[in-house]
Amino acid sequence: MGGIAIARTLKSVLRAQGRLRKLVPVGIIDIGSNSVRLVVYEGLSRSPTPFFNEKVLCGLGEGLVNTGRLNEEGVERALLTLRRFRVLAEQAGADEIYTMATAAARDAENGPAFIKQAQTILGHKIHVLTGEEEAQFAAYGVICGFQKPQGLAADMGGGSVELLRVDGSKFKGEGATFPLGGLRLRDESGGSGKAARALVKKALKGAPQLKQAKGETFYAVGGTWRAMGRLHMARNNYPLHVMHNYEISAKEAQMLCRRLTDNRPGSIRGIEAVSSSRRNLLTYGAVLLSEIMAVMKPKSIVFSAVGLREGYLYSLLPKRTRTLDPLVAAAEEWALLRARSPVHAKELAQWTGKAFKAFGVSETADEKRYRTAACMFADITWRSHPDYRGDQALNLISNANLVGVDHPGRAYMALATYYRHEGLMDPEVSPALRKIASPEQAQKARLLGALFRVGYLFSAAMPGQLPKISFSGNAEDGFALNVPREINAFRGERLDRRINGLQSVLETPVTWTDV
C-alpha cells in the first residue's frame, strides 16, 4: 500500500475514532403491559451497545380485560420504578431519555392519568405509541438487528402483538396490532389454553400479513418468545447461550408449542432455564405462535434480542448510517478500542480477501462479511497473557453482544481468531463451536487463522507491509507467496513454520518467491 492509500485509510480510522469519542449515552424507557425497562445505550450508532439495563415486571396490564383499567398495584410499582430509572439514566450520563408506552397505557381507562403522573416524575413527555407505530418500531428493531432481513417481524408483549413484513431496510405492506399479548390472553381466556386458542384464531382470521409472508422467515420479538427460545436451547443442550439470531425449524417450533400447550410449563424438562416470572405466560406464547405458523407456514423461526427500543434508536439515525453493515460497524468499533492498529485490521481484511480469491476459495456474501469482521477481531486480546489469548478471543467473539450475524457466523469468526493464537492442528478445539459452524465454514476458519498467523509475522500488527505481499498459482501446481526483495529480511524460521502451516491447510505447496 502506498503512502497516499495508507493516509486515506488512516483518515477513515481517525474519523471513526472521532465518532466513537462523540458518542453520548442515550436512554430508552419502555413502559410495557407487563414490564417497565430502562436501557442506557453507549450512543446512537448502527450497532447499539447497551451498558446499563434494568427491568421490573410491574404487570400494568394485569386484569385490564376485566376492569378496563391499569392494575392499581402495577401503577404504584411502575411510578416508583420510573423515579429510580430517571436518576439511573442521569447517573449513567444519558443526555437524552426517550420514553414510550405501549398497549396497556394506550387502551386503559386510567391510562392518561397514569401517563400524566409518569411525565411529572420523568420531567419529559411520554410517547404513547399507536398500534401502527409499535409495529413499525418493532420492525425497525429487526432491520437494525439483522443483515437484510426478509420475513415477518412479530412483537409479542403483555397486551398486544404487532405484525409487519420487512424486506431489507424497508417495510412491505402495512403494520397491524392485535389484542393478543400474553397477559391479555391469560386474563381473557380465564387461564384456559383452549379458550386462548379460540381467541387467537378469531383475532387473526384474515390477517393479510400472515398470508403475504407465507414461506418466509418469522422473526420472534418479545420476552415470552425469547423465553421459549431459551427453553428450546436448554432442552437440546445447545452450546451457545446467545439468544439473538437463534434459529430453529418450523417443525421444531411446532413440537415445542405442542409440548407447552399439552403440559404444565413447570413440569417440562429444561424449564429451569426460564425465569419464574416468564413461565406462566409460555402457554399463551405457544398458542399464538402455533396459530401464526398454521397460516404463515414459515421456513424457520428466528429469535430476536432487539426490538422496539433498538428500532426507535434506529429511526433516529441518519439515512447514511442506517445503510452500514451492523456486524462490520460493531467489529470496527472493537478494533478501534482494542486492536494495536485498526488500520492494520482493515489491511488484513483486504489481504485475506485477495488470498482467498487466489486460492480459489469461494465465499457467500455473508462469509465475506464474517471474514471482514474476523479481521477486525483478530487482535483484540493482544494485551492478555499469551497462554490465554486464544481462549479469551474464542469466548469474547462467540458470546459478544453483536447483531447482524447468525450463530454459525459467530463460530466462524471465533474459531479463526482462536487458530491465529493457538495453532492449527488441534482437532479437539471447542467441539461445540465446530459443531455449530458447517464443515465448510470450519475449514475456512482454519484457513483464515493460518493466514492470520502468516500475516502478523510480516506486519508485527502494524500497517504498511501486507499490501506488498500476494499469492499466485493454483492448487495443482502449488502457490507462490510473492514477497518484494526489499522486504525479504522478514523471512525467518518462525515465519517458515507458519507458511508450512498454511501449506498443510491448503494441502498443496506454498513457496516463498522473491519478486
Side-chain angles (χ1 to χ4, degrees), residues 416-417 419-420 424 444-454:
T417 308
Y419 286 131
R420 182 235 150 158
L424 307 170
K444 286 175 183 175
R446 194 160 171 260
L447 174 58
L448 186 57
L451 284 168
F452 287 167
R453 290 172 68 78
V454 171

Side-chain angles (χ1 to χ4, degrees), residues 197 427 473:
R197 190 175 297 277

